[in-house]
Amino acid sequence: MFPIETLVAIAIFLITYALIIDERIHRAVAAMSGAAILVILGIVSWDAMLENIDFGTIFLLMGMMIIVNVASNSGLFEYLAIITAKSAKGSPMRVLFLFSIVTAVTSAFLDNVTTVLLLTPMLLYISKVMDLNPVPFLLAEIISSNVGGMGTLIGDPPNIMIASSAGLSFNEFLMIMGPIALVDLLIVLVIFFLMYRKKLKVDENERMAIKNTLDSLDERAAIQDIELFKKSIITLGIVIALFFMHNNIGEILHMVIPFVDPSMTLEPAEVALIGAALILIWSRQSPEKIFEKIEWPALFFFGGLFVLVGGLVETGVISDIAQFMIDNVKTTGEAMFVIAWFSGIASAIVDNIPLTAALIPLIHDIGANPTTAIDTYPLWWALSLGACLGGNGTAIAASANVVVIGIGEREGIHISFMDFLKIGMLVLFITISVGLLMLYMMF
């Protein structure tokens, strides 16, 4: 029989989870309320609450939000969208391919929600100019953002959470998940070509008319502030470079400044905050206006979620589940299979953020058990694979999906749950299968 505090912690977690899925109460309010009840009841103490909140994840997201909010004021992202559309030379399928690639690459180095918020209005405008059904373009954008976000440490919230908890570097993500994201993106483009090639086919006269219309768009007019535009590009370049070098920054600085400790490293959150401070100081943008645009509800949602999962950790629920897995899963390969497919299918039904938060301590507990022969290092990559790609399964599986569909609804474009499901589940099963096969080859 479980102790009463364990049952209460499980009940609070499940009720909060149900409220998050239901969406009648904002998910940040639901998570914070559940966390507050756990603290009030003494299931999670004040000190334990602070230990369970992963401030590395929260500050990394906050820093990147500041950088993107400042850069968006320059017109940088609209400029990139118009350049991309012109490169298609009037071919609708080429527009779909190019926007998918731009979305995937941008999502890899920004967070995918911010990427779709910036690119979706321009994509809708361009599809309207081309007089084409925008649904295939929106679906391609959603799926590409989730696939691209998987490729780097900062591309998708589950990766940020995994890296912060497991101590994984930006370069590790790029070397392991980057190739998987690239292969899966190519597979996604093939799927879209096979499904929509007839619907997006135009004759030569139509293609030239579309090309002339796109050529009439002036990408330079999209730049609202040329000085801020240049500063944004330089700052993003510095931040991306620091993400590559953050584990070796001490060695690099030591060659120039001898008294710097060569063993010094930078956490990804520190890189994001350095970039945020740099662009705020350099751009002279109003911090009040920039801070207003930070997705505070998302950050508070994360904070509450960490405490909720902390309740399961403190009461031993996570360690019991880990022990069950250890007793029934004997090899690392089996554990990778279970975690990738469980997180992938579950992420298609519920938000991948709380799911990832619940599975992270489970993997830690598997690694802490002295009787297991399971290597937990590959399990982190299996979790990243499933949690990120599971977001493609349904219309509500990831935040980027909900954002794009919501913007479309405001413009009178309806994407039904079943329409998304038809292509989403196909993409989910194929991309996770391929990704898992590649992980097996690596490990």
Side-chain angles (χ1 to χ4, degrees):
M1 187 67 181
F2 289 111
I4 186 65
E5 62 195 29
T6 301
L7 295 174
V8 171
I10 294 171
I12 292 172
F13 181 83
L14 293 176
I15 291 169
T16 306
Y17 217 117
L19 291 172
I20 291 169
I21 296 169
D22 182 67
E23 293 187 337
R24 277 182 282 189
I25 297 176
H26 193 284
R27 64 180 187 167
V29 176
M32 289 174 64
S33 300
I37 293 170
L38 286 173
V39 174
I40 290 168
L41 294 177
I43 295 172
V44 177
S45 67
W46 177 259
D47 290 337
M49 182 192 76
L50 295 177
E51 289 174 6
N52 281 295
I53 294 175
D54 190 339
F55 288 102
T57 295
I58 291 173
F59 284 125
L60 174 55
L61 285 169
M62 184 188 297
M64 292 307 296
M65 287 174 183
I66 292 170
I67 294 168
V68 170
N69 287 336
V70 174
S72 65
N73 289 339
S74 71
L76 171 63
F77 303 104
E78 290 85 349
Y79 175 87
L80 292 174
I82 294 173
I83 290 288
T84 302
K86 284 186 172 183
S87 302
K89 301 188 182 303
S91 166
M93 185 58 72
R94 198 176 295 171
V95 169
L96 186 147
F97 282 1
L98 289 173
F99 259 97
S100 296
I101 293 168
V102 168
T103 300
V105 172
T106 308
S107 293
F109 294 101
L110 305 177
D111 70 280
N112 52 9
V113 175
T114 302
T115 298
V116 298
L117 275 169
L118 293 167
L119 294 182
T120 301
M122 184 55 65
L123 187 56
L124 287 172
Y125 172 71
I126 288 171
S127 62
K128 184 178 180 181
V129 168
M130 295 168 65
D131 194 26
L132 290 169
N133 179 10
V135 171
F137 298 97
L138 295 180
L139 290 173
E141 181 191 24
I142 291 170
I143 290 172
S144 298
S145 73
N146 290 324
V147 172
M150 176 184 67
T152 67
L153 185 156
I154 57 173
D156 211 0
N159 284 3
I160 296 171
M161 296 163 68
I162 292 166
S164 182
S165 183
L168 303 175
S169 72
F170 185 88
N171 287 348
E172 283 178 288
F173 262 93
L174 196 64
M175 296 302 293
I176 293 173
M177 300 309 292
I180 296 174
L182 178 60
V183 171
D184 279 346
L185 179 62
L186 294 175
I187 291 170
V188 166
L189 295 180
V190 171
I191 291 171
F192 271 90
F193 175 77
L194 295 174
M195 292 187 71
Y196 291 106
R197 68 185 186 280
K198 292 181 180 178
K199 293 180 181 178
L200 295 179
K201 187 176 182 179
V202 294
D203 61 31
E204 184 61 22
N205 291 334
E206 290 174 315
R207 189 189 70 80
M208 289 306 299
I210 292 171
K211 180 179 181 300
N212 292 335
T213 303
L214 293 176
D215 286 344
S216 68
L217 299 176
D218 185 2
E219 64 272 13
R220 289 169 297 181
I223 301 174
Q224 301 168 29
D225 184 331
I226 187 62
E227 289 302 315
L228 182 58
F229 180 86
K230 294 175 182 177
K231 292 172 182 177
S232 298
I233 292 175
I234 293 170
T235 302
L236 284 168
I238 291 171
V239 168
I240 291 169
L242 285 176
F243 276 128
F244 277 107
M245 300 183 297
H246 72 101
N247 269 345
N248 309 103
I249 192 69
E251 296 175 11
I252 295 168
L253 290 177
H254 182 72
M255 291 188 291
V256 181
I257 310 172
F259 61 79
V260 172
D261 183 356
S263 64
M264 183 187 81
T265 61
L266 285 175
E267 291 295 323
E270 292 177 288
V271 172
L273 291 176
I274 289 169
L278 172 62
I279 200 167
L280 283 171
I281 293 169
W282 196 12
S283 69
R284 312 296 293 176
Q285 293 277 297
S286 167
E288 290 85 358
K289 292 181 179 178
I290 298 302
F291 292 160
E292 283 176 3
K293 294 180 182 178
I294 291 175
E295 290 289 331
W296 293 111
L299 300 181
F300 280 103
F301 170 65
F302 272 103
L305 196 60
F306 288 132
V307 178
L308 282 166
V309 175
L312 300 181
V313 173
E314 297 294 322
T315 55
V317 174
I318 296 295
S319 60
D320 289 343
I321 296 173
Q323 186 62 53
F324 177 81
M325 281 193 65
I326 291 165
D327 292 340
N328 292 276
V329 177
K330 301 303 181 184
T331 67
T332 301
E334 289 176 5
M336 289 171 64
F337 182 89
V338 170
I339 287 176
W341 282 111
F342 174 77
S343 58
I345 294 171
S347 292
I349 302 168
V350 299
D351 196 296
N352 58 9
I353 294 170
L355 182 78
T356 304
L359 290 177
I360 283 173
L362 186 148
I363 295 176
H364 277 303
D365 275 12
I366 291 174
N369 191 303
T371 64
T372 181
I374 297 172
D375 178 10
T376 57
Y377 185 72
L379 303 190
W380 297 116
W381 307 113
L383 176 57
S384 170
L385 179 77
C388 294
L389 295 181
N392 284 327
T394 66
I396 61 169
S399 300
N401 308 16
V402 177
V403 168
V404 173
I405 291 171
I407 294 173
E409 291 284 357
R410 290 200 297 270
E411 299 294 326
I413 300 155
H414 179 64
I415 301 176
S416 73
F417 188 89
M418 291 307 297
D419 285 341
F420 193 101
L421 193 68
K422 290 174 186 175
I423 189 167
M425 276 297 177
L426 176 65
V427 168
L428 183 154
F429 281 103
I430 293 176
T431 53
I432 291 182
S433 297
V434 171
L436 193 55
L437 179 62
M438 291 180 70
L439 284 179
Y440 281 140
M441 293 170 66
M442 294 179 193
F443 299 107

